[in-house]
């Protein structure tokens, strides 16, 4: 029948609509993202049991490094730019509409 409306699972389940997907898929994404962010924070030197002390130590180390921290950041920027800028330029040249 043409006037018949169909109910989709997202319409019936307010929890799925609130979470942005099925609870199992959202839980999996959150676990994966939390693990990746945890690895990045551990590389910086954060400790989950004493986060305030870790933040204070990080700020103190960056302060003590002074211009060496800026030099290190500049080196990371240049290293990434060696890859990113040529790829961006090639994608703009070959992907541009004629």
């Amino acid at each position: 029948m043409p006037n018949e409306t169909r109910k989709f699972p997202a319409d019936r389940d307010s929890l799925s609509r609130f979470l942005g997907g099925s609870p199992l898929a959202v839980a999996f994404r959150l676990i994966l993202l939390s693990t990746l962010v945890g690895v990045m924070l551990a590389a910086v030197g954060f400790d989950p049991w004493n986060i305030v002390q870790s933040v204070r130590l990080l700020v103190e180390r960056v302060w003590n490094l002074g211009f060496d921290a800026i030099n290190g950041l500049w080196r990371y920027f240049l290293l990434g730019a060696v890859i990113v800028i040529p790829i961006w330029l090639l994608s703009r040249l070959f992907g541009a509409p004629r």
Side-chain angles (χ1 to χ4, degrees):
M1 295 184 198
N3 291 334
E4 183 179 324
T5 59
R6 297 172 67 186
K7 295 280 186 181
F8 293 106
D11 290 339
R12 283 186 275 131
D13 190 11
S14 61
L15 179 64
S16 293
R17 190 174 41 213
F18 173 74
L19 293 176
S22 72
L24 189 60
V26 171
F28 178 74
R29 285 192 307 242
L30 288 174
I31 289 169
L32 181 64
L33 186 61
S34 296
T35 303
L36 291 174
V37 169
V39 167
M40 291 183 340
L41 289 175
V44 173
F46 280 99
D47 180 19
W49 305 117
N50 196 355
I51 193 78
V52 174
Q53 177 69 16
S54 296
V55 170
R56 189 190 64 75
L57 263 174
L58 177 65
V59 170
E60 185 178 311
R61 287 177 185 163
V62 169
W63 182 266
N64 290 336
L65 284 174
F67 288 107
D68 287 341
I70 295 171
N71 187 27
L73 184 64
W74 178 249
R75 291 179 61 207
Y76 286 137
F77 167 74
L78 288 178
L79 183 62
V82 166
I83 302 298
V84 171
I85 301 299
I87 291 174
W88 173 79
L89 185 60
L90 288 173
S91 70
R92 298 302 294 169
L93 287 175
F94 295 117
R98 303 261 185 249

